[in-house]
Amino acid sequence: MKTKITTVLIIVTLISISAYSQNVVNLKIKGSDTVLPLSQKEAETFMKKNKSAKITVTGGGSGVGIAAFVDGSTDIAMASRKMKMSEKLKLQDAGKAYKEVVIANDALSVIVNPANKVSQLTREQIEGIFTGKIKNWKEVGGDDEKIVVYSRESSSGTYEFFKEHVLNNKNYGTSILMMPATGAMVQSVSQTKGAIGYIGFAYMEKNVKALKISYDKGKTFIEPNVINAKNKTYPVVRPLYYYYLTKDAAKVKTFIDYILSEEGQKVVNEVGYISLK
Amino acid sequence: MIISKKVIRKKNLKEKVAFNIFRVFSAIVVLSLIAILSFIIYNGISVINWNFLTQMPEDGMTKGGIYPAIIGTLCLVAGSMIFAIPIGVLSGIYINEYTKDSWYKRFIKLMTNNLAGIPSIVFGLFGMSLFVNTLGFGDSIIAGSLTLGLMVLPVVIRTTEEALKSVDNSFRHGSLALGATKLQTVRKVVLPMAFPNIITGIILSVGRVSGETAPILFTVAAYFLPKLPSSIFDQVMALPYHLYVISTSGTNVEASRPIAYGTAMVLIGFVLIVNLLANALRKYFGKKVKMN
């Protein structure tokens, strides 16, 4: 009895290993939580058209994705920021050449609870809030309410991008709360009255309010929406990247071509990001 | 000696108070379980149907089913058990039957206990660095199964050990006195008697494996993969991780809320069935042993 079971198990293992070596479109995509819903939807529509294709999508954050990419445990790294110098050096040391593709744009939005009176902030005010200098909403024209600052954790590309482009490379304050995922941030902000946070545009929901932002010290406040993002009047528009190894180009080509095609870009709009054209 | 009625009454009263305190606390346990179960069933029952159990997720995981996650969890359970059962049961036998009470045995026991106390996320990170990166399995069923297997290894070892310990020594002595070797004694006498309890331990660890998220987070779980695995080097979706991602990630958390409750219900149902199975098997094998 026992030997029979063992034999069966060995056979199953052998079959599965041999099945692995067969050549089918089998892609692993890993990384940014911002890009995650987009990749998921693109993979879903792509696989509906190409039944034999197999695309695995995993989140974790841009940092996690790029780390996995350097290790070679993923074919495509999705990132909401550019690759850092240290990461580039690691790839160079390993002798791996890579390609970068912009697949969509995102309007990084600052959100607050809908009950909040404040509906616009300047970049300087946002910097003050996230670095911990401004602690109460009344300092920026709101109610007398303590500001609860939510941020993504440090492996997030959005975290890095926000720090570079909105906080002027200043460090986040010590009292901010780190959220493991963007969806969790939306929920927390929708449930906390004095909350503020930042999210990718596709995550925008009715139970949070997007702030208008001014990058010219309060002369014009611009709302994050598709039109303002497309004509680049909204100041915090960022590209979303795919990274892949040059030697894998043939393997990933069909999928990336699909995303860049008209149909793929339509999916970008459906998910809530800003298409390239 | 005559005990005064007052003393007796006082004693009885104390007993009553103590009993009622026990009763209240056990009621709290049962009630909280009922509360959690009914909350999940109330929210989840409406989405559970045949399609939910047998279809791929669709439309940004706000519609469709959780079929790949169910299959993924079954794969991980099978994989981790293939790894944990032989090693765990054999080590348990070794510790209880073959070692004398030496520093070596105490050392193994100490290490097993420590292994049992390690948080599951540590296993996850260990699995990632050893199986995924160093051994180069990548995110795969095999890496996840080995990580989960490692995690439940102490449970299997300890239950095997306890099960063997509960077999009365007179059976061993009787067997040895009839000229049987130690191996024969263990195989033909001790192991069959301990079997029902060993099975219980194994099935309880199946329940644990199917419900853990942290160890599979970095070793196997996929956010989205609407295909069944074709090899042990594939990633899979898994029920607990699926529950985690659709309630925290995704652009429309509200829309996927019913699916989250449905997934929770399937997961709890799975663990419940496994536990009932453990009970039934123990009774079945227990009877068999007694009859022999």
Side-chain angles (χ1 to χ4, degrees), chain B residues 112-153:
Chain B
T112 321
N113 286 342
N114 279 338
L115 202 61
I118 293 175
S120 52
I121 183 69
V122 178
F123 279 104
L125 290 170
F126 174 74
M128 179 178 75
S129 82
L130 179 64
F131 302 124
V132 175
N133 293 336
T134 311
L135 295 180
F137 292 147
D139 282 356
S140 59
I141 295 179
I142 184 155
S145 300
L146 289 173
T147 311
L148 287 167
L150 267 186
M151 186 190 70
V152 292
L153 205 50

Side-chain angles (χ1 to χ4, degrees), chain A residues 9 13 16 19-20 28 30 36-37 40-41 44 47 51 53-58 71 183-184 187 202-203 205, chain B residues 58-61 82 133 139 221-231 233-235 247-248 250-251 253-254 257:
Chain A
L9 285 178
T13 320
S16 48
Y20 179 62
K28 286 185 178 180
K30 194 169 189 174
L36 189 61
Q40 190 266 326
K41 202 66 193 282
E44 191 179 319
M47 276 188 277
K51 295 274 184 228
K54 188 168 186 177
I55 298 173
T56 312
V57 184
T58 317
D71 285 345
Q187 278 187 5
Y203 281 91
E205 279 187 56
Chain B
E58 269 172 41
D59 206 8
M61 303 210 280
I82 290 172
N133 293 336
D139 282 356
Y223 175 77
F224 180 70
L225 176 63
K227 300 270 161 134
L228 298 185
S230 57
S231 100
F233 294 101
D234 276 356
Q235 279 183 268
S247 28
T248 56
T251 47
V253 175
E254 289 302 318
R257 193 48 55 82

Side-chain angles (χ1 to χ4, degrees), chain B residues 57-263:
Chain B
E58 269 172 41
D59 206 8
M61 303 210 280
T62 55
K63 294 198 181 75
I66 54 166
Y67 184 54
I70 295 176
I71 297 297
T73 289
L74 289 178
C75 284
L76 290 177
V77 166
S80 58
M81 286 304 126
I82 290 172
F83 172 68
I85 291 173
I87 297 183
V89 171
L90 293 182
S91 335
I93 293 173
Y94 176 72
I95 292 171
N96 198 59
E97 301 294 322
Y98 284 91
T99 51
K100 296 212 171 65
D101 193 20
S102 61
W103 68 268
Y104 182 56
K105 179 178 177 174
R106 281 198 298 277
F107 182 70
I108 296 181
K109 279 184 119 172
L110 182 74
M111 284 302 138
T112 321
N113 286 342
N114 279 338
L115 202 61
I118 293 175
S120 52
I121 183 69
V122 178
F123 279 104
L125 290 170
F126 174 74
M128 179 178 75
S129 82
L130 179 64
F131 302 124
V132 175
N133 293 336
T134 311
L135 295 180
F137 292 147
D139 282 356
S140 59
I141 295 179
I142 184 155
S145 300
L146 289 173
T147 311
L148 287 167
L150 267 186
M151 186 190 70
V152 292
L153 205 50
V155 181
V156 179
I157 295 177
R158 289 308 301 272
T159 44
T160 307
E161 209 191 317
E162 293 301 324
L164 293 172
K165 224 183 255 170
S166 67
V167 176
D168 200 273
N169 257 338
S170 56
F171 290 101
R172 290 190 185 86
H173 295 157
S175 171
L176 292 172
L178 287 170
T181 63
K182 193 146 188 177
L183 183 64
Q184 283 171 325
T185 308
V186 170
R187 259 184 64 187
K188 301 270 163 86
V189 180
V190 182
L191 212 48
M193 296 192 73
F195 195 60
N197 288 332
I198 295 178
I199 281 278
T200 322
I202 288 170
I203 291 183
L204 287 178
S205 53
V206 167
R208 171 121 196 256
V209 163
S210 52
E212 279 285 353
T213 316
I216 59 174
L217 199 58
F218 309 114
T219 54
V220 54
Y223 175 77
F224 180 70
L225 176 63
K227 300 270 161 134
L228 298 185
S230 57
S231 100
I232 51 170
F233 294 101
D234 276 356
Q235 279 183 268
V236 284
M237 294 172 84
L239 285 172
Y241 183 68
H242 190 62
L243 179 56
Y244 169 67
V245 291
I246 59 179
S247 28
T248 56
S249 318
T251 47
N252 201 341
V253 175
E254 289 302 318
S256 49
R257 193 48 55 82
I259 303 224
Y261 282 120
T263 310

Side-chain angles (χ1 to χ4, degrees), chain A residues 25-123:
Chain A
V25 181
N26 194 340
L27 283 183
K28 286 185 178 180
I29 305 178
K30 194 169 189 174
S32 167
D33 276 337
T34 310
V35 194
L36 189 61
L38 176 60
S39 294
Q40 190 266 326
K41 202 66 193 282
E42 296 280 5
E44 191 179 319
T45 47
F46 181 77
M47 276 188 277
K48 270 211 182 110
K49 281 177 64 186
N50 303 279
K51 295 274 184 228
S52 66
K54 188 168 186 177
I55 298 173
T56 312
V57 184
T58 317
S62 301
V64 175
I66 292 174
F69 182 61
V70 175
D71 285 345
S73 62
T74 184
D75 302 309
I76 297 176
M78 37 185 183
S80 55
R81 60 166 167 84
K82 266 199 172 286
M83 208 183 265
K84 284 189 218 165
M85 195 37 98
S86 58
E87 291 159 346
K88 283 182 188 167
L89 283 177
K90 266 186 207 155
L91 277 168
Q92 215 172 29
D93 288 348
K96 291 173 179 171
Y98 68 92
K99 284 245 163 71
E100 178 186 283
V101 175
V102 175
I103 58 159
N105 284 312
D106 172 33
L108 184 65
S109 314
V110 179
I111 53 165
V112 293
N113 192 281
N116 199 324
K117 255 182 21 193
V118 177
S119 65
Q120 54 186 40
L121 288 174
T122 65
R123 192 201 65 76

Side-chain angles (χ1 to χ4, degrees), chain B residues 32-46:
Chain B
S32 51
L33 178 69
I34 291 175
I36 294 171
L37 281 182
S38 46
F39 175 73
I40 286 169
I41 292 172
Y42 175 77
N43 285 296
I45 195 85
S46 56

